[in-house]
Amino acid sequence: MVKFGRQIKHDRIDEWKDGYIDYDALKVTLNAMVKSGHSYVFSEDALYAPISVAYEPSALVPEGPHEIDFMAQVDAEIEKVNKFTSRLHGELDTHVAQVQRRHEQWIAAGKPDAQQPALAESVEECSSALQQFEDYINLNYLGFSKILKKHDKRSSCPFRMPYLLKIQNQTFVEGKMAHIIKTISDMNASIHGEAVKAGAQAFDPNQKGGASFVRRTTKCVGARRCSPCSSG
């Protein structure tokens, strides 16, 4: 099986490499925490044990990262992906808006046949850009899910599910893309018209004009399950 750290490097878009979760770095911290024994320090007894003001923990605790260090690193990675996602989202919005203006001008000009192929190609580029963006979101979400699962297997302080709930509701996976999907669908339907009948360009009668954009991704968030993935 391909390790997940390698999978990220294989599947990522190189121009966006600085915006992906640093899975390998998190794994290094986790391994060091386990090696030092700090991953099993937390317990109910330790949580409610009396604290002495004369106690100096640094004299007894072995070196190495603690749970709080790993959590801080995860938080930093989430924030990094959030910022990068916001940038990509803005760029995608701008790209689609530019093509939408061209589409509106094409309609106003009477839909000249000579301009149709170039416009159709631009709309397809929007579809591809949206797919890349969604793949980026899903790969990062999967990375956090897997490193947190690995953590919980090796720690007495599990926190995978609260983190995933936070990520799903407050971070980079929350952004809704319905307006972009609908815009691309409507442009495709307008350009291809009744020629669109089946397959990836099939009409969806529930959307204006018949939507011809079909999302081809495997989502890893919310209620839908991702396909089985290899271990990291």
Side-chain angles (χ1 to χ4, degrees):
M1 292 185 179
V2 178
K3 298 227 179 253
F4 189 72
R6 294 180 185 174
Q7 181 184 337
I8 288 182
K9 292 185 176 78
H10 179 269
D11 293 347
R12 74 187 182 188
I13 297 174
D14 285 340
E15 302 91 273
W16 299 352
K17 62 182 181 181
D18 293 336
Y20 289 89
I21 176 178
D22 194 340
Y23 183 86
D24 287 342
L26 288 168
K27 191 173 177 181
V28 167
T29 300
L30 177 59
N31 288 340
M33 186 171 67
V34 172
K35 185 177 180 179
S36 68
H38 293 160
S39 61
Y40 288 99
V41 170
F42 183 87
S43 67
E44 287 290 322
D45 291 338
L47 182 63
Y48 295 110
I51 299 175
S52 171
V53 294
Y55 175 63
E56 178 50 58
S58 61
L60 302 174
V61 176
E63 294 183 358
H66 294 69
E67 292 284 358
I68 193 68
D69 300 314
F70 181 76
M71 294 174 71
Q73 191 173 352
V74 172
D75 288 336
E77 289 296 309
I78 291 174
E79 182 60 23
K80 178 185 73 177
V81 175
N82 282 345
K83 290 181 178 179
F84 203 85
T85 299
S86 295
R87 196 197 89 187
L88 293 179
H89 198 164
E91 292 173 354
L92 181 59
D93 278 334
T94 299
H95 184 189
V96 173
Q98 290 172 345
V99 176
Q100 186 178 24
R101 284 193 292 271
R102 286 177 54 198
H103 176 259
E104 291 170 352
Q105 292 168 357
W106 176 69
I107 293 177
K111 298 185 176 182
D113 292 341
Q115 297 177 17
Q116 192 268 355
L119 183 58
E121 183 177 353
S122 295
V123 174
E124 179 58 31
E125 289 174 356
C126 289
S127 297
S128 297
L130 176 58
Q131 186 64 50
Q132 287 182 330
F133 179 73
E134 191 167 30
D135 289 344
Y136 165 82
I137 295 294
N138 288 328
L139 189 58
N140 276 294
Y141 180 84
L142 184 58
F144 285 111
S145 178
K146 290 183 77 67
I147 195 64
L148 291 169
K149 181 178 181 180
K150 189 178 291 291
H151 166 272
D152 284 10
K153 286 181 177 180
R154 308 175 73 185
S155 171
S156 60
C157 181
F159 48 68
R160 177 174 179 257
M161 292 311 298
Y163 257 104
L164 292 185
L165 287 172
K166 174 184 176 181
I167 291 172
Q168 288 185 19
N169 292 288
Q170 301 177 19
T171 60
F172 59 91
V173 301
E174 185 188 19
K176 303 299 186 292
M177 307 299 293
H179 67 291
I180 291 181
I181 295 170
K182 186 175 186 302
T183 297
I184 295 173
S185 296
D186 289 345
M187 288 192 295
N188 256 325
S190 171
I191 292 169
H192 295 289
E194 292 297 329
V196 179
K197 294 295 182 183
Q201 301 266 337
F203 275 103
D204 177 358
N206 295 319
Q207 289 196 11
K208 177 184 175 183
S212 52
F213 174 73
V214 177
R215 301 168 82 183
R216 299 177 294 276
T217 190
T218 301
K219 287 290 282 185
C220 297
V221 299
R224 285 181 286 179
R225 294 182 180 179
C226 63
S227 58
C229 301
S230 57
S231 60

